Amino acid sequence: MLRYLRENTGNWIIKIFLGIIVIVFVFLGVGSFGSKKNNSIATINDEPITIKEYQQAYKTIIDQMRARFGEDLNDDILKALNVKQQALDAIIEQKLILTEAAKLEINVSEKELQESLLSIKAFQRDGIFNLDQYKKVLSLNSLTSEVFEQSQINSLKQGKVRNLILSAVNVSDLEARNWYLFQNTKTAVDYRLFNPNDYPDIRPDEKQIKKFYSENKEKYKSEPKIKALYLKFSPEDYQDKVSVSEGNIKDYYQEHPEQFKIPQKVEARHILIKVNENAEEEKVKEAQKKALEIYELAVKGEDFEKLAKQYSQGPSKDAGGYLGVFEQKAMVKPFADKAFSMKPEEISKPVRTRFGWHIINVMAKFDASTQTLPQVSEKIKKELEQIETQNFAYDKAGEAFDAVIDGDDFEQIALIANKKIVKTKEFSINGEGIDIADNTGFARAAFELSLDDISDVKQFDNTYYLIKIVEKIEPVVQALDLVKDRLVKELAEILQKKRAKEDAQIYITKAVDDKTLDQLAGEDQLKLKSTKLFTRNGNIEGVGNSPEFIQASFSLNENNKIHPEIIETQAGFYIIGFKEKMLPEESEITQNLKNIKNEIGWRKQAQAYQAWINELKKHSKINYDPEILN
């Protein structure tokens, strides 16, 4: 079966199927299919969850993530998002909800099922449900209509249960008003930053260095390293094994018509007079006036290129405002809409975008067209050859991996694959020491293996590898001389930070209820600064986004003017004092009340639904082997 699949990797349907097989191997582990009793991996109240259900849930999530991440989807992302746990949780939740649906006597009618099927775009042609398309899509996904329609019924039942639970969630006007006040009240503070970087003269002496090294030797160990063997399967090695016929080229051309369509294009220059997107109306009009004056010069016959070099404030100024030839989607909408509605040699009145006011000079227009087969034949041939050599490399790597499954040692696998075993020098997890294109990816994959383990097929760039770890070099404490520069830098930072904190504490101690930071600054020549007004979820100019700083700032008011504790951030240590506070206008709250209620409602619904799910789990007997998630 595996050999058949590899022999047909040119077929894109088979490629999808191969992808599913790889997912299954990663997901459940080689050889795990027959090891589960009764073909189940978990139970919910004694109802089994089968391997097939588990695989399908996992595949569904993978498909969604592949649509989101594209070619960037890799093992690291899957692990970070804990996809295996997501798949298991999805099945558990579905079964619990369907049990509740049965208790509540919630059903789905034939009409409801039919309407849901008719609305699925994957089953439509030209916006209308097509039975042949329906059968084709199900077939490509190895589904029968009975299985799919039952899953659709289950999904509709889940939706009905969810709607029932969420119908009890309400948001009052008072709740929405208070939330808006909380989120949109602004405050400003005076502050003094004690930055460790302001103490460059504080450096550790030899005694401090030796003491720090003695107490922190574990920090100064060498990096763990490994040595590996690998087999490399590169598409370039199989160029003489593939051939692309004229028929292949023609088929590809006919099957991918969108790829050869050339959209309408415009060649243009422009003159930009910048104005901020959120600028005051006065500044917007001032910039517009200037743009209109330049426009008048252009339409009277002055050279547009020279005008652009003289007046434009955009990055294309030195090129006379030249933007080249571009598609409509390449430019911001107001600019593109105007440029593509103009005639060649026409000059537009100023058009505003988020960048400012643009005067556009359309130099030429190029109609949409479709490249002919002779025009793209050579390009298609190269692309198909690349695909076929890539498939060939994957095919050969897959054959070698079959030998791994059969239990052959690495030397035997190399003989079967007719490949030379390459031995690496010792290398670290960042790939230093490996001479391949994606040395970091190779190293990270290798470090996940145990000693003498052979990896599954790994792809780095367009090349496939099988990797075997043959030696692990454990980290050792390095001599002080080797790490002294790094140690001195780290210790100096610690000492500078300590001094900054001590100085900040001195000034906090001086602060008393009847004093402000202004008075302290006057007494002690502090460099006092002030923030602009900011909200709880805003970025503070000059400070950044520090939750501790923001929380402390909003605790201050006219009666509580100085925060009694130091606020530590990445930048250093702050002392802060109250400056002003501003509440949103009542009219602003009223205007936004509907949107606020909707936003709070969505959040409360999500919380309520998850709480209900958690309660179902709490009162259910759920058993599974944690090893399936490893």
Side-chain angles (χ1 to χ4, degrees):
M1 177 65 175
L2 288 173
R3 189 175 303 279
Y4 167 76
L5 290 173
R6 278 197 302 277
E7 288 171 355
N8 289 276
T9 50
N11 185 316
W12 67 275
I13 299 173
I14 297 298
K15 288 178 187 176
I16 293 173
F17 191 47
L18 279 169
I20 296 169
I21 290 174
V22 171
I23 289 169
V24 170
F25 275 110
V26 172
F27 186 36
L28 296 177
V30 176
S32 64
F33 290 99
S35 63
K36 306 295 180 184
K37 292 183 179 179
N38 301 321
N39 200 34
S40 68
I41 57 168
T43 58
I44 308 171
N45 299 324
D46 297 326
E47 181 184 354
I49 294 176
T50 66
I51 290 175
K52 187 173 182 180
E53 289 176 304
Y54 197 19
Q55 291 169 357
Q56 185 59 45
Y58 187 82
K59 178 183 177 298
T60 298
I61 296 173
I62 290 291
D63 288 344
Q64 292 168 350
M65 290 184 175
R66 185 172 288 113
R68 178 181 174 188
F69 294 103
E71 293 181 358
D72 294 330
L73 185 65
N74 55 39
D75 288 347
D76 291 336
I77 293 176
L78 297 181
K79 288 177 182 177
L81 296 177
N82 204 2
V83 175
K84 294 178 183 179
Q85 186 69 60
Q86 283 190 50
L88 182 61
D89 288 344
I91 303 171
I92 290 171
E93 290 177 13
Q94 182 191 60
K95 288 187 177 291
L96 290 174
I97 294 167
L98 290 176
T99 299
E100 291 303 302
K103 291 179 182 177
L104 295 168
E105 297 183 354
I106 290 174
N107 294 303
V108 174
S109 68
E110 285 291 330
K111 184 180 179 182
E112 288 172 317
L113 174 61
Q114 185 180 52
E115 288 175 351
S116 73
L117 295 176
L118 294 175
S119 68
I120 296 174
K121 291 184 178 180
F123 302 149
Q124 296 176 358
R125 287 182 184 169
D126 299 324
I128 301 172
F129 179 85
N130 183 282
L131 184 59
D132 290 337
Q133 179 72 4
Y134 173 65
K135 292 177 180 178
K136 180 181 178 182
V137 171
L138 294 189
S139 176
L140 289 176
N141 288 277
S142 303
L143 292 171
T144 64
S145 58
E146 291 80 6
V147 170
F148 177 76
E149 288 172 16
Q150 184 57 54
S151 72
Q152 194 68 6
I153 289 170
N154 291 342
S155 179
L156 291 170
K157 285 183 179 179
Q158 286 178 264
K160 288 187 174 186
V161 172
R162 180 183 175 86
N163 291 338
L164 183 64
I165 300 301
L166 299 185
S167 63
V169 177
N170 293 299
V171 180
S172 68
D173 287 355
L174 179 61
E175 183 180 1
R177 186 181 186 282
N178 289 339
W179 182 87
Y180 191 84
L181 274 171
F182 181 83
Q183 290 292 326
N184 293 280
T185 294
K186 296 180 179 180
T187 194
V189 296
D190 298 317
Y191 68 88
R192 166 66 162 95
L193 170 63
F194 293 82
N195 188 337
N197 294 335
D198 293 337
Y199 301 83
D201 295 337
I202 296 179
R203 308 289 295 175
D205 56 33
E206 285 299 320
K207 184 178 179 180
Q208 289 173 313
I209 291 169
K210 289 178 180 178
K211 183 174 184 292
F212 189 78
Y213 173 74
S214 176
E215 293 173 350
N216 297 275
K217 285 185 176 181
E218 290 297 310
K219 286 181 62 178
Y220 301 102
K221 283 186 171 182
S222 60
E223 290 183 313
K225 294 185 177 182
I226 58 178
K227 290 182 181 179
L229 306 176
Y230 67 83
L231 301 178
K232 178 181 176 183
F233 301 84
S234 175
E236 289 77 17
D237 297 339
Y238 305 102
Q239 287 179 341
D240 61 341
K241 304 288 185 182
V242 302
S243 62
V244 176
S245 69
E246 292 299 322
N248 296 144
I249 295 170
K250 185 177 180 181
D251 288 345
Y252 186 91
Y253 180 80
Q254 292 175 342
E255 290 170 7
H256 301 83
E258 293 299 320
Q259 191 173 327
F260 307 108
K261 289 182 179 179
I262 300 174
Q264 184 185 28
K265 293 183 180 181
V266 159
E267 183 179 19
R269 297 181 185 274
H270 82 137
I271 298 170
L272 170 64
I273 303 302
K274 287 185 178 180
V275 62
N276 192 286
E277 186 178 10
N278 301 314
E280 296 175 357
E281 189 63 26
E282 184 180 342
K283 289 187 176 181
V284 174
K285 288 183 177 179
E286 183 182 329
Q288 185 184 24
K289 181 182 177 183
K290 185 175 181 180
L292 282 167
E293 290 171 355
I294 299 167
Y295 165 75
E296 292 296 337
L297 294 173
V299 295
K300 286 177 181 177
E302 291 203 27
D303 186 276
F304 194 92
E305 182 177 351
K306 289 181 180 178
L307 289 173
K309 287 181 177 180
Q310 183 177 355
Y311 295 109
S312 183
Q313 298 169 351
S316 63
K317 173 180 179 176
D318 293 340
Y322 186 64
L323 297 171
V325 179
F326 52 86
E327 299 176 22
Q328 188 162 359
K329 65 181 181 182
M331 297 294 176
V332 288
K333 192 174 188 306
F335 185 102
D337 287 349
K338 185 61 181 177
F340 278 81
S341 69
M342 295 167 63
K343 298 175 182 177
E345 300 184 8
E346 187 177 354
I347 297 171
S348 75
K349 287 186 176 181
V351 178
R352 190 181 176 195
T353 73
R354 65 174 182 266
F355 303 109
W357 291 98
H358 305 258
I359 306 157
I360 306 168
N361 172 209
V362 171
M363 302 166 66
K365 295 185 79 171
F366 305 91
D367 293 335
S369 61
T370 300
Q371 293 173 292
T372 64
L373 179 57
Q375 287 176 319
V376 295
S377 179
E378 191 60 31
K379 179 182 175 183
I380 294 174
K381 182 180 179 182
K382 288 180 179 178
E383 188 169 340
L384 291 178
E385 284 176 345
Q386 184 179 348
I387 292 170
E388 289 305 313
T389 54
Q390 188 80 33
N391 288 343
F392 217 100
Y394 172 78
D395 175 36
K396 293 301 180 183
E399 286 182 359
F401 185 58
D402 286 351
V404 175
I405 296 172
D406 291 340
D408 293 338
D409 62 34
F410 211 60
E411 288 71 22
Q412 291 172 313
I413 295 167
L415 288 172
I416 292 170
N418 193 26
K419 285 287 178 182
K420 180 182 177 182
I421 295 176
V422 182
K423 185 173 183 178
T424 70
K425 299 176 182 178
E426 61 183 46
F427 59 90
S428 60
I429 196 166
N430 63 9
E432 188 177 343
I434 309 173
D435 187 22
I436 68 170
D438 186 5
N439 59 345
T440 302
F442 183 100
R444 291 172 68 180
F447 266 82
E448 291 180 354
L449 298 171
S450 300
L451 191 63
D452 293 327
D453 272 1
I454 301 174
S455 72
D456 56 5
V457 177
K458 298 292 183 182
Q459 181 178 358
F460 308 110
D461 289 332
N462 67 339
T463 304
Y464 303 98
Y465 295 82
L466 290 183
I467 308 168
K468 179 181 179 181
I469 304 306
V470 292
E471 185 179 349
K472 291 204 169 189
I473 301 154
E474 297 300 328
V476 295
V477 176
Q478 300 177 90
L480 177 57
D481 289 346
L482 294 175
V483 298
K484 190 171 183 178
D485 289 346
R486 173 186 155 201
L487 185 149
V488 168
K489 182 183 177 185
E490 292 175 352
L491 181 53
E493 289 174 353
I494 291 170
L495 296 175
Q496 290 160 5
K497 186 175 180 180
K498 180 182 178 184
R499 174 62 66 84
K501 186 174 183 179
E502 288 171 350
D503 285 356
Q505 190 60 55
I506 290 170
Y507 287 101
I508 280 288
T509 303
K510 288 182 180 180
V512 290
D513 291 341
D514 60 347
K515 285 193 174 184
T516 67
L517 286 187
D518 288 320
Q519 290 171 312
L520 282 176
E523 293 172 10
D524 298 291
Q525 292 80 48
L526 293 174
K527 296 176 182 177
L528 198 63
K529 294 183 178 181
S530 299
T531 69
K532 294 180 180 179
L533 286 163
F534 59 90
T535 62
R536 283 181 168 85
N537 56 4
N539 193 57
I540 309 167
E541 185 177 333
V543 176
N545 188 5
S546 166
E548 296 80 11
F549 190 102
I550 292 171
Q551 184 177 356
S553 298
F554 276 90
S555 71
L556 301 176
N557 52 47
E558 290 287 353
N559 299 318
N560 179 29
K561 289 195 171 184
I562 298 177
H563 189 66
E565 296 177 356
I566 297 167
I567 302 161
E568 182 176 352
T569 72
Q570 290 183 343
F573 303 92
Y574 287 90
I575 55 174
I576 66 171
F578 178 75
K579 184 180 179 184
E580 63 174 311
K581 188 169 287 187
M582 186 173 74
L583 276 61
E585 297 287 342
E586 194 63 39
S587 59
E588 179 186 338
I589 298 174
T590 303
Q591 184 180 352
N592 288 282
L593 197 62
K594 183 178 179 181
N595 290 336
I596 302 164
K597 290 179 73 172
N598 287 338
E599 187 176 338
I600 297 173
W602 294 328
R603 188 171 66 252
K604 287 181 70 174
Q605 285 179 346
Q607 292 170 346
Y609 190 69
Q610 190 57 53
W612 180 73
I613 291 289
N614 292 341
E615 196 65 20
L616 287 182
K617 289 181 179 180
K618 183 179 176 181
H619 293 91
S620 300
K621 188 168 67 174
I622 301 170
N623 295 308
Y624 65 90
D625 182 359
E627 283 301 312
I628 66 173
L629 302 179
N630 295 331

